[in-house]
Amino acid sequence: MPKFETSEKTFYDLLGRRCSDEELERIFPRAKAELDDHDTENHILKIELNDTNRPDLWSAMGLARLLKTYENPENAKAYDFFSSSEFTADNKGRELHVGEKVKEVRQYSCGFVATGKTVDDEILKTLIQSQEKLCWNFGRKRRSIAMGIYRNDLINYPIHYDGADPDKTHFVPLHMEEDLSLREILEKHPKGQEFGYIIKDAPVYPYLFDDKGNTLSMPPVINSAYVGAVEVGDSNLFVEMSGPGLRDILLCASIMACDMADMGFSIEPVKVVYPYETEFGKEITVPYYFQEPASCTLEDIKHVLGEDISADEAQEALMRMGVYSVVEGSRIFITCPEYRNDFLHPVDVVEDVMIGYGLENFEPEIPKDFTIGRLSPAEEFGRKVKDIMVGLGFQEMMYNYLGSKREYADNMNISTDGMIFIANPMSENYEVVRPSVLPSLLESEGSSQHAVYPHRIFEVGKTAHLDSSDNSGTVTRNTLGFMLADNQAGFNDVNSLVNTLMYFLKKEYTLRSPGEDGRFIPGRCAEIVVDNQKVGVFGEVHPQVLENWGCAVPAVVCEIDLDCICND
Amino acid sequence: MHCKQIEEPWLTNVARAHENGGDTGSRGWSYKFDHEFTRRQVLRSQGTVLSAHQLTKCKKPGKYFGVVRCFRYDEVDATHGADFYQTEGIVIGKDANLKELLGLLKMFATEIAGATDYKYVPGYFPFTEPSIEIHIKHPKLGWFELGGSGIFRPEVTKALGVDEPVLAWGLGIDRMALMNLGLSDIRDLFTPEIESVRTRRGN
């Protein structure tokens, strides 16, 4: 989940009042936000946002905007710098020209100018943070959105965005002093090493430069050390986004423009000129409003929320969420705010009505449909087996299902045949999905020598194996494993336990000698066969295996595939 | 590893719901659905996948639940296991709605977790809309989240052939079990030590 930090002062100023932490915790849920931490020493609020589809809320400005509007819809701000398909704002001659060559590697770029406010430490921190949140979380680690902020005073318009030769083009990247080619930057600059993979294999690299040839940046990797080095004291900024999807970068530009307007900047449009038609034309003046209208009916609201909400109440609720609406008949049409693009379906409108109406105003009810419940056959059979095992004096255990190759193969004296390995494990301790209950039981024995003997334990749980005949390539089985460990434990004990269990389960079975099985002492183990099918195995654990697990006394174990003998 | 094939017509329906909404009344997420990537096998990070599976063969009205192991890419510590239990449930009915969902969540909070104080909070999950979290107040630990819930998005249900609303929830029950057993470390719940399980008793 995205998290951001803000100084108390910035946030309370935006909100228009100071709040206690209890108050913040009370109002934050309206924005699906949580107060993660309040550093009272440094006066910093750390806030976590749960809605990954609302990147507009991932900043102090966006969050305060919603909370303030919720308290009083009259606080809603109108942003007058947007162009749309019907209206084009004056770009005062500022243009960004996109070239043909960049199409294959990173097609779209857009930007706007923010001016009239001097950047201080706090603003710089806030801008960098917004950039990180939008590009990392929403922009999929810069793959779909990258953002650059530049010193507008140093830019000679028009700006150009095109594909450039990775070896012949060069500039001094931010935080370095050396003039490097684009390819060298990917190799040598830390940001090049981190984000270079996005463009590395393309024949040309994305390159942003002004009309006099001064470099702005190599999106999505790094700004230049000159035009791209925004500092405290600057008051005239050019903000640019690039990515493979036009709507994503336009939304991101809208969010940044509204945020920066809330910070006190004045937003000035830049006209982006493409050499071909895009879905919004060849020329797009940015910030650009592209969202389509959305709607829902009063019946939708009643159906989803279970509450009769009038058109007036619904409109009022939407206003609190910053959403303007009109009613035609029983249908409510909304205008999506400039900084949002999350209305995919009428239910998304209904949710905003719900939050605006207040979740506390819905009375919980018990479902009216009567249905008959029952356990699944596998669960019922599993419980029967557990009851029998408890009756036989065994104690139920519960184990983790992920483990290591050492536990499941090496310690057990068997190969890894049929075992499921995780392609990207967190650590080699949790690399294999458990193929058998027996290693879990022996781990218990190895770590329980202080417990009074005999040890009689079992688990009914899942095991998993590779199986090429299954569509998924793997199967998961309900499995019983049990273990008896004691000075005197031997084949006869486990044989008699299996016999008792199968008697109560009403299963006819025969035994046969298994092939080579490194887990057991040869000649002191058997396979359980039902209807000519192997359903389990039991026997005396091999001394080498006992030693591997650090067990001090003999142990006998049994494992049975319950799915094979369940009378489904 | 990849599975061989994903059942039709569900795969086509789901792909269309993602790309342009298909017949679900949605405009979709406007991206190219990756059929190859979709066949890749993953360990489930939550039980919702089982509810989705059940939808293709559910009774209407119907109520289903499961207690299932889930897997997460987390550093193992006192509150995180590499695998853990979740309880997962759905209610399908033509009049199933938010108020009924709140009623069910209240039941989990008061009857199963034994909480006297609980609250509902708007949440976000990509597959439910609206989404609700239920939080309960523990006498010592304070407020904590019991789990997430919501009404499945029509992009989920309609693509799987269900026109009725479906209430859905997933609650982490290991936490409840810890409270009930008086334990404070999730690793103690899955302990291999025989003695500690032998002597364990509930509150």
Side-chain angles (χ1 to χ4, degrees), chain A residues 337-394:
Chain A
E338 296 88 342
Y339 43 84
R340 290 179 62 175
N341 189 28
D342 60 321
F343 294 103
L344 304 179
H345 188 281
V347 293
D348 295 299
V349 182
V350 175
E351 192 203 32
D352 270 47
V353 173
M354 177 193 85
I355 300 174
Y357 191 77
L359 204 43
E360 63 282 4
N361 296 318
F362 294 90
E363 193 58 41
E365 284 174 6
I366 288 300
K368 289 172 278 298
D369 284 325
F370 180 79
T371 50
I372 294 172
R374 62 174 68 84
L375 294 171
S376 68
E379 177 65 25
E380 251 173 311
F381 189 70
R383 289 189 184 192
K384 186 172 178 185
V385 170
K386 286 182 189 181
D387 276 350
I388 296 170
M389 291 312 297
V390 171
L392 290 170
F394 281 72

Side-chain angles (χ1 to χ4, degrees), chain A residues 114-120 123 233-237 260 263-266:
Chain A
T115 186
K117 173 97 183 170
T118 305
V119 174
D120 58 19
I123 290 179
D234 288 336
S235 59
N236 193 8
L237 307 175
M260 291 179 83
M263 291 164 92
F265 286 94
S266 133

Side-chain angles (χ1 to χ4, degrees), chain A residues 434-460:
Chain A
R434 178 173 88 163
S436 161
V437 184
L438 301 184
S440 307
L441 298 169
L442 287 165
E443 186 195 3
S444 270
E445 180 52 31
S447 58
S448 298
Q449 284 161 33
H450 55 284
V452 175
Y453 284 96
H455 295 162
R456 299 160 77 91
I457 57 172
F458 79 98
E459 188 193 23
V460 172

Side-chain angles (χ1 to χ4, degrees), chain A residues 402-550:
Chain A
L402 296 182
S404 64
K405 170 178 173 289
R406 185 180 56 79
E407 292 167 312
Y408 295 152
D410 303 350
N411 277 5
M412 298 304 291
N413 258 355
I414 54 172
S415 75
T416 57
D417 284 353
M419 287 186 198
I420 301 169
F421 280 75
I422 296 168
N424 53 342
M426 187 82 187
S427 88
E428 63 179 33
N429 291 334
Y430 308 102
E431 186 184 22
V432 188
V433 187
R434 178 173 88 163
S436 161
V437 184
L438 301 184
S440 307
L441 298 169
L442 287 165
E443 186 195 3
S444 270
E445 180 52 31
S447 58
S448 298
Q449 284 161 33
H450 55 284
V452 175
Y453 284 96
H455 295 162
R456 299 160 77 91
I457 57 172
F458 79 98
E459 188 193 23
V460 172
K462 313 274 183 198
T463 56
H465 319 268
L466 294 175
D467 182 349
S468 58
S469 68
D470 190 271
N471 180 43
S472 71
T474 64
V475 288
T476 304
R477 312 291 293 180
N478 290 297
T479 308
L480 162 72
F482 66 84
M483 181 198 74
L484 164 63
D486 192 20
N487 264 333
Q488 304 299 322
F491 183 87
N492 288 352
D493 298 300
V494 64
N495 192 17
S496 136
L497 286 163
V498 168
N499 194 270
T500 312
L501 177 70
M502 296 304 255
Y503 171 80
F504 285 113
L505 292 175
K506 293 185 187 151
K507 278 286 153 196
E508 294 293 330
Y509 72 99
T510 54
L511 296 180
R512 72 179 180 212
S513 170
E516 201 169 306
D517 191 331
R519 299 177 293 180
F520 300 102
I521 298 174
R524 306 252 184 109
C525 55
E527 279 181 4
I528 307 167
V529 177
V530 171
D531 298 333
N532 294 319
Q533 188 192 5
K534 177 189 165 187
V535 302
V537 63
F538 66 86
E540 294 181 16
V541 178
H542 196 284
Q544 182 61 54
V545 176
L546 289 175
E547 194 185 317
N548 293 345
W549 284 105

Side-chain angles (χ1 to χ4, degrees), chain A residues 153-213:
Chain A
D153 290 332
L154 303 177
I155 296 175
N156 301 284
Y157 284 87
I159 298 169
H160 303 272
Y161 176 66
D162 206 351
D165 187 307
D167 300 302
K168 289 181 187 151
T169 319
H170 51 90
F171 68 94
V172 182
L174 197 59
H175 304 310
M176 278 186 125
E177 281 159 15
E178 246 179 301
D179 193 18
L180 298 173
S181 76
L182 303 187
R183 201 183 300 280
E184 285 170 332
I185 292 173
L186 295 201
E187 285 158 16
K188 292 184 183 166
H189 198 284
K191 295 289 174 193
Q193 291 158 1
E194 190 175 359
F195 300 106
Y197 73 96
I198 301 170
I199 54 170
K200 197 175 87 211
D201 298 325
V204 291
Y205 289 179
Y207 186 52
L208 192 71
F209 55 103
D210 80 356
D211 210 39
K212 289 212 171 136

Side-chain angles (χ1 to χ4, degrees), chain B residues 49-64:
Chain B
V49 57
L50 298 170
S51 294
H53 244 267
Q54 188 62 38
L55 285 181
T56 60
K57 50 187 184 220
C58 65
K59 288 183 180 165
K60 301 160 193 175
K63 300 183 188 129
Y64 300 90

